[in-house]
Amino acid sequence: MAEPKASPPTADELDAKRGGLKSAETREGAAWDEAPYKAAWEAAGGDPAKVKEAVNLTETPTDYDSYIQLCKAGKFH
């Protein structure tokens, strides 16, 4: 025997459930910790090709500033 299809909840049912849900707070502008990325850059001797391989970047940075921008943008494989 086939199960009857459930209908979506009504707006009133959703409103009734809303009060029982947990609330969450979103943090905006959390500080970005550059220290581990700087350490990786220094461990690679400032060599863009080496640091690309070390942290698995999608592209080779041209200098430290472009390296940090890539890291902040999440350009990792």
Side-chain angles (χ1 to χ4, degrees):
M1 181 175 235
E3 295 279 327
K5 291 189 177 184
S7 60
T10 66
D12 289 337
E13 291 171 328
L14 289 174
D15 284 339
K17 295 271 185 183
R18 187 179 321 227
L21 298 175
K22 294 180 184 178
S23 64
E25 191 173 316
T26 303
R27 294 185 330 179
E28 292 291 327
W32 188 77
D33 187 7
E34 187 174 325
Y37 300 100
K38 184 175 183 180
W41 177 265
E42 291 171 352
D47 184 323
K50 287 182 183 176
V51 79
K52 175 190 178 204
E53 293 301 317
V55 298
N56 209 17
L57 289 170
T58 58
E59 56 190 90
T60 304
T62 56
D63 58 15
Y64 181 76
D65 289 334
S66 69
Y67 162 67
I68 292 299
Q69 290 303 319
L70 290 168
C71 293
K72 285 182 176 181
K75 300 290 184 174
F76 306 102
H77 286 284

mmCIF file of all heavy atoms in Angstrom, residues 31-64:
data_model
loop_
_atom_site.group_PDB
_atom_site.id
_atom_site.type_symbol
_atom_site.label_atom_id
_atom_site.label_comp_id
_atom_site.label_asym_id
_atom_site.label_seq_id
_atom_site.Cartn_x
_atom_site.Cartn_y
_atom_site.Cartn_z
ATOM 1 N N ALA A 31 38.429 38.682 13.035
ATOM 2 C CA ALA A 31 39.830 38.922 12.672
ATOM 3 C C ALA A 31 40.410 37.722 11.927
ATOM 4 O O ALA A 31 40.138 36.577 12.264
ATOM 5 C CB ALA A 31 40.646 39.202 13.921
ATOM 6 N N TRP A 32 41.186 38.005 10.900
ATOM 7 C CA TRP A 32 41.851 36.962 10.114
ATOM 8 C C TRP A 32 43.269 36.861 10.625
ATOM 9 O O TRP A 32 43.999 37.856 10.708
ATOM 10 C CB TRP A 32 41.823 37.347 8.640
ATOM 11 C CG TRP A 32 42.309 36.279 7.734
ATOM 12 C CD1 TRP A 32 41.635 35.162 7.347
ATOM 13 C CD2 TRP A 32 43.578 36.214 7.073
ATOM 14 N NE1 TRP A 32 42.406 34.409 6.501
ATOM 15 C CE2 TRP A 32 43.608 35.029 6.321
ATOM 16 C CE3 TRP A 32 44.689 37.033 7.057
ATOM 17 C CZ2 TRP A 32 44.697 34.656 5.552
ATOM 18 C CZ3 TRP A 32 45.776 36.666 6.296
ATOM 19 C CH2 TRP A 32 45.772 35.488 5.550
ATOM 20 N N ASP A 33 43.701 35.670 10.984
ATOM 21 C CA ASP A 33 45.028 35.452 11.553
ATOM 22 C C ASP A 33 46.040 35.199 10.442
ATOM 23 O O ASP A 33 46.067 34.132 9.832
ATOM 24 C CB ASP A 33 44.985 34.275 12.528
ATOM 25 C CG ASP A 33 46.285 34.089 13.277
ATOM 26 O OD1 ASP A 33 47.190 34.946 13.151
ATOM 27 O OD2 ASP A 33 46.394 33.085 13.993
ATOM 28 N N GLU A 34 46.886 36.180 10.209
ATOM 29 C CA GLU A 34 47.884 36.098 9.136
ATOM 30 C C GLU A 34 49.112 35.284 9.541
ATOM 31 O O GLU A 34 49.861 34.806 8.689
ATOM 32 C CB GLU A 34 48.303 37.522 8.744
ATOM 33 C CG GLU A 34 49.200 37.601 7.552
ATOM 34 C CD GLU A 34 49.460 39.041 7.113
ATOM 35 O OE1 GLU A 34 48.564 39.894 7.227
ATOM 36 O OE2 GLU A 34 50.574 39.289 6.643
ATOM 37 N N ALA A 35 49.326 35.092 10.837
ATOM 38 C CA ALA A 35 50.553 34.479 11.350
ATOM 39 C C ALA A 35 50.899 33.128 10.712
ATOM 40 O O ALA A 35 52.051 32.931 10.294
ATOM 41 C CB ALA A 35 50.494 34.365 12.866
ATOM 42 N N PRO A 36 49.961 32.162 10.618
ATOM 43 C CA PRO A 36 50.357 30.881 10.027
ATOM 44 C C PRO A 36 50.728 30.993 8.546
ATOM 45 O O PRO A 36 51.593 30.260 8.053
ATOM 46 C CB PRO A 36 49.144 29.977 10.225
ATOM 47 C CG PRO A 36 48.013 30.872 10.550
ATOM 48 C CD PRO A 36 48.594 32.131 11.115
ATOM 49 N N TYR A 37 50.119 31.918 7.840
ATOM 50 C CA TYR A 37 50.428 32.106 6.423
ATOM 51 C C TYR A 37 51.785 32.799 6.251
ATOM 52 O O TYR A 37 52.558 32.471 5.352
ATOM 53 C CB TYR A 37 49.309 32.889 5.731
ATOM 54 C CG TYR A 37 47.998 32.160 5.829
ATOM 55 C CD1 TYR A 37 47.049 32.515 6.777
ATOM 56 C CD2 TYR A 37 47.729 31.078 4.995
ATOM 57 C CE1 TYR A 37 45.860 31.815 6.886
ATOM 58 C CE2 TYR A 37 46.549 30.377 5.091
ATOM 59 C CZ TYR A 37 45.615 30.742 6.040
ATOM 60 O OH TYR A 37 44.441 30.045 6.159
ATOM 61 N N LYS A 38 52.071 33.737 7.150
ATOM 62 C CA LYS A 38 53.377 34.392 7.127
ATOM 63 C C LYS A 38 54.472 33.373 7.431
ATOM 64 O O LYS A 38 55.536 33.374 6.798
ATOM 65 C CB LYS A 38 53.414 35.539 8.132
ATOM 66 C CG LYS A 38 54.704 36.314 8.098
ATOM 67 C CD LYS A 38 54.679 37.514 9.021
ATOM 68 C CE LYS A 38 55.976 38.288 8.890
ATOM 69 N NZ LYS A 38 56.003 39.453 9.759
ATOM 70 N N ALA A 39 54.215 32.486 8.394
ATOM 71 C CA ALA A 39 55.191 31.445 8.739
ATOM 72 C C ALA A 39 55.452 30.526 7.547
ATOM 73 O O ALA A 39 56.598 30.139 7.293
ATOM 74 C CB ALA A 39 54.693 30.644 9.938
ATOM 75 N N ALA A 40 54.404 30.175 6.806
ATOM 76 C CA ALA A 40 54.564 29.316 5.626
ATOM 77 C C ALA A 40 55.387 30.045 4.561
ATOM 78 O O ALA A 40 56.244 29.440 3.907
ATOM 79 C CB ALA A 40 53.208 28.911 5.063
ATOM 80 N N TRP A 41 55.126 31.349 4.383
ATOM 81 C CA TRP A 41 55.879 32.153 3.417
ATOM 82 C C TRP A 41 57.365 32.165 3.799
ATOM 83 O O TRP A 41 58.236 31.952 2.964
ATOM 84 C CB TRP A 41 55.314 33.571 3.374
ATOM 85 C CG TRP A 41 56.048 34.501 2.472
ATOM 86 C CD1 TRP A 41 57.044 35.365 2.826
ATOM 87 C CD2 TRP A 41 55.874 34.657 1.063
ATOM 88 N NE1 TRP A 41 57.485 36.055 1.729
ATOM 89 C CE2 TRP A 41 56.779 35.643 0.629
ATOM 90 C CE3 TRP A 41 55.031 34.072 0.126
ATOM 91 C CZ2 TRP A 41 56.864 36.046 -0.687
ATOM 92 C CZ3 TRP A 41 55.117 34.486 -1.202
ATOM 93 C CH2 TRP A 41 56.039 35.454 -1.598
ATOM 94 N N GLU A 42 57.631 32.399 5.083
ATOM 95 C CA GLU A 42 59.016 32.454 5.544
ATOM 96 C C GLU A 42 59.698 31.085 5.458
ATOM 97 O O GLU A 42 60.870 31.001 5.112
ATOM 98 C CB GLU A 42 59.065 33.017 6.966
ATOM 99 C CG GLU A 42 58.705 34.492 6.999
ATOM 100 C CD GLU A 42 58.537 35.058 8.398
ATOM 101 O OE1 GLU A 42 58.544 34.282 9.386
ATOM 102 O OE2 GLU A 42 58.380 36.286 8.497
ATOM 103 N N ALA A 43 58.954 30.020 5.749
ATOM 104 C CA ALA A 43 59.514 28.662 5.659
ATOM 105 C C ALA A 43 59.889 28.314 4.220
ATOM 106 O O ALA A 43 60.824 27.544 3.987
ATOM 107 C CB ALA A 43 58.522 27.641 6.208
ATOM 108 N N ALA A 44 59.173 28.912 3.265
ATOM 109 C CA ALA A 44 59.473 28.683 1.854
ATOM 110 C C ALA A 44 60.542 29.647 1.354
ATOM 111 O O ALA A 44 60.844 29.675 0.160
ATOM 112 C CB ALA A 44 58.199 28.828 1.020
ATOM 113 N N GLY A 45 61.098 30.435 2.254
ATOM 114 C CA GLY A 45 62.152 31.375 1.871
ATOM 115 C C GLY A 45 61.648 32.513 1.004
ATOM 116 O O GLY A 45 62.413 33.127 0.274
ATOM 117 N N GLY A 46 60.341 32.772 1.052
ATOM 118 C CA GLY A 46 59.776 33.841 0.228
ATOM 119 C C GLY A 46 59.683 33.474 -1.239
ATOM 120 O O GLY A 46 59.454 34.336 -2.082
ATOM 121 N N ASP A 47 59.840 32.199 -1.547
ATOM 122 C CA ASP A 47 59.761 31.725 -2.940
ATOM 123 C C ASP A 47 58.296 31.433 -3.280
ATOM 124 O O ASP A 47 57.706 30.509 -2.727
ATOM 125 C CB ASP A 47 60.598 30.466 -3.096
ATOM 126 C CG ASP A 47 60.646 29.957 -4.526
ATOM 127 O OD1 ASP A 47 59.628 30.049 -5.244
ATOM 128 O OD2 ASP A 47 61.702 29.445 -4.924
ATOM 129 N N PRO A 48 57.698 32.220 -4.184
ATOM 130 C CA PRO A 48 56.280 32.031 -4.507
ATOM 131 C C PRO A 48 55.923 30.626 -4.985
ATOM 132 O O PRO A 48 54.886 30.080 -4.611
ATOM 133 C CB PRO A 48 56.024 33.062 -5.613
ATOM 134 C CG PRO A 48 57.047 34.123 -5.376
ATOM 135 C CD PRO A 48 58.258 33.375 -4.887
ATOM 136 N N ALA A 49 56.785 30.003 -5.783
ATOM 137 C CA ALA A 49 56.492 28.652 -6.285
ATOM 138 C C ALA A 49 56.500 27.636 -5.148
ATOM 139 O O ALA A 49 55.651 26.738 -5.093
ATOM 140 C CB ALA A 49 57.495 28.256 -7.360
ATOM 141 N N LYS A 50 57.453 27.783 -4.234
ATOM 142 C CA LYS A 50 57.527 26.858 -3.097
ATOM 143 C C LYS A 50 56.337 27.008 -2.164
ATOM 144 O O LYS A 50 55.788 26.026 -1.681
ATOM 145 C CB LYS A 50 58.828 27.080 -2.317
ATOM 146 C CG LYS A 50 60.059 26.571 -3.017
ATOM 147 C CD LYS A 50 61.288 26.800 -2.151
ATOM 148 C CE LYS A 50 62.554 26.355 -2.861
ATOM 149 N NZ LYS A 50 63.750 26.665 -2.050
ATOM 150 N N VAL A 51 55.945 28.253 -1.898
ATOM 151 C CA VAL A 51 54.815 28.470 -0.978
ATOM 152 C C VAL A 51 53.513 28.017 -1.624
ATOM 153 O O VAL A 51 52.619 27.522 -0.947
ATOM 154 C CB VAL A 51 54.752 29.930 -0.470
ATOM 155 C CG1 VAL A 51 54.135 30.870 -1.484
ATOM 156 C CG2 VAL A 51 54.003 30.008 0.846
ATOM 157 N N LYS A 52 53.422 28.143 -2.943
ATOM 158 C CA LYS A 52 52.231 27.644 -3.649
ATOM 159 C C LYS A 52 52.066 26.151 -3.390
ATOM 160 O O LYS A 52 50.977 25.676 -3.081
ATOM 161 C CB LYS A 52 52.331 27.899 -5.145
ATOM 162 C CG LYS A 52 51.182 27.305 -5.921
ATOM 163 C CD LYS A 52 51.399 27.343 -7.419
ATOM 164 C CE LYS A 52 50.203 26.681 -8.085
ATOM 165 N NZ LYS A 52 50.500 26.170 -9.389
ATOM 166 N N GLU A 53 53.154 25.413 -3.515
ATOM 167 C CA GLU A 53 53.120 23.967 -3.286
ATOM 168 C C GLU A 53 52.890 23.646 -1.803
ATOM 169 O O GLU A 53 52.148 22.739 -1.472
ATOM 170 C CB GLU A 53 54.415 23.324 -3.768
ATOM 171 C CG GLU A 53 54.600 23.386 -5.268
ATOM 172 C CD GLU A 53 53.487 22.696 -6.047
ATOM 173 O OE1 GLU A 53 53.075 21.593 -5.641
ATOM 174 O OE2 GLU A 53 53.029 23.265 -7.052
ATOM 175 N N ALA A 54 53.529 24.408 -0.922
ATOM 176 C CA ALA A 54 53.453 24.140 0.517
ATOM 177 C C ALA A 54 52.031 24.267 1.064
ATOM 178 O O ALA A 54 51.617 23.466 1.899
ATOM 179 C CB ALA A 54 54.389 25.066 1.274
ATOM 180 N N VAL A 55 51.304 25.275 0.586
ATOM 181 C CA VAL A 55 49.944 25.490 1.120
ATOM 182 C C VAL A 55 48.859 25.112 0.114
ATOM 183 O O VAL A 55 47.683 25.321 0.367
ATOM 184 C CB VAL A 55 49.745 26.933 1.629
ATOM 185 C CG1 VAL A 55 50.690 27.247 2.767
ATOM 186 C CG2 VAL A 55 49.875 27.950 0.519
ATOM 187 N N ASN A 56 49.291 24.561 -1.029
ATOM 188 C CA ASN A 56 48.352 24.044 -2.028
ATOM 189 C C ASN A 56 47.463 25.126 -2.637
ATOM 190 O O ASN A 56 46.245 24.960 -2.742
ATOM 191 C CB ASN A 56 47.520 22.910 -1.417
ATOM 192 C CG ASN A 56 47.070 21.908 -2.445
ATOM 193 O OD1 ASN A 56 47.601 21.849 -3.540
ATOM 194 N ND2 ASN A 56 46.079 21.118 -2.081
ATOM 195 N N LEU A 57 48.076 26.227 -3.047
ATOM 196 C CA LEU A 57 47.336 27.307 -3.699
ATOM 197 C C LEU A 57 46.967 26.929 -5.130
ATOM 198 O O LEU A 57 47.638 26.109 -5.753
ATOM 199 C CB LEU A 57 48.169 28.592 -3.727
ATOM 200 C CG LEU A 57 48.379 29.301 -2.399
ATOM 201 C CD1 LEU A 57 49.427 30.407 -2.549
ATOM 202 C CD2 LEU A 57 47.070 29.889 -1.888
ATOM 203 N N THR A 58 45.927 27.558 -5.652
ATOM 204 C CA THR A 58 45.495 27.290 -7.021
ATOM 205 C C THR A 58 46.341 28.026 -8.055
ATOM 206 O O THR A 58 46.343 27.657 -9.216
ATOM 207 C CB THR A 58 44.026 27.703 -7.225
ATOM 208 O OG1 THR A 58 43.888 29.092 -6.909
ATOM 209 C CG2 THR A 58 43.095 26.872 -6.354
ATOM 210 N N GLU A 59 47.038 29.082 -7.626
ATOM 211 C CA GLU A 59 47.902 29.818 -8.551
ATOM 212 C C GLU A 59 49.132 30.321 -7.801
ATOM 213 O O GLU A 59 49.139 30.379 -6.576
ATOM 214 C CB GLU A 59 47.152 30.970 -9.208
ATOM 215 C CG GLU A 59 46.517 31.946 -8.246
ATOM 216 C CD GLU A 59 45.580 32.927 -8.934
ATOM 217 O OE1 GLU A 59 44.396 32.612 -9.053
ATOM 218 O OE2 GLU A 59 46.063 34.011 -9.329
ATOM 219 N N THR A 60 50.150 30.675 -8.540
ATOM 220 C CA THR A 60 51.399 31.150 -7.944
ATOM 221 C C THR A 60 51.301 32.648 -7.680
ATOM 222 O O THR A 60 51.027 33.427 -8.600
ATOM 223 C CB THR A 60 52.582 30.867 -8.892
ATOM 224 O OG1 THR A 60 52.606 29.464 -9.190
ATOM 225 C CG2 THR A 60 53.904 31.273 -8.255
ATOM 226 N N PRO A 61 51.547 33.062 -6.439
ATOM 227 C CA PRO A 61 51.519 34.497 -6.141
ATOM 228 C C PRO A 61 52.730 35.194 -6.753
ATOM 229 O O PRO A 61 53.750 34.564 -7.019
ATOM 230 C CB PRO A 61 51.580 34.543 -4.605
ATOM 231 C CG PRO A 61 52.228 33.257 -4.206
ATOM 232 C CD PRO A 61 51.845 32.253 -5.251
ATOM 233 N N THR A 62 52.613 36.490 -6.956
ATOM 234 C CA THR A 62 53.733 37.250 -7.514
ATOM 235 C C THR A 62 54.629 37.817 -6.416
ATOM 236 O O THR A 62 55.807 38.051 -6.641
ATOM 237 C CB THR A 62 53.233 38.411 -8.390
ATOM 238 O OG1 THR A 62 52.353 39.225 -7.620
ATOM 239 C CG2 THR A 62 52.501 37.883 -9.612
ATOM 240 N N ASP A 63 54.055 38.045 -5.236
ATOM 241 C CA ASP A 63 54.805 38.555 -4.091
ATOM 242 C C ASP A 63 54.011 38.247 -2.815
ATOM 243 O O ASP A 63 52.963 37.594 -2.877
ATOM 244 C CB ASP A 63 55.068 40.058 -4.234
ATOM 245 C CG ASP A 63 53.784 40.877 -4.382
ATOM 246 O OD1 ASP A 63 52.675 40.366 -4.102
ATOM 247 O OD2 ASP A 63 53.877 42.051 -4.769
ATOM 248 N N TYR A 64 54.509 38.706 -1.673
ATOM 249 C CA TYR A 64 53.858 38.412 -0.397
ATOM 250 C C TYR A 64 52.431 38.935 -0.355
ATOM 251 O O TYR A 64 51.519 38.250 0.104
ATOM 252 C CB TYR A 64 54.678 38.974 0.776
ATOM 253 C CG TYR A 64 54.056 38.669 2.111
ATOM 254 C CD1 TYR A 64 54.148 37.398 2.674
ATOM 255 C CD2 TYR A 64 53.361 39.638 2.821
ATOM 256 C CE1 TYR A 64 53.576 37.102 3.900
ATOM 257 C CE2 TYR A 64 52.787 39.354 4.044
ATOM 258 C CZ TYR A 64 52.898 38.089 4.586
ATOM 259 O OH TYR A 64 52.310 37.800 5.796
#
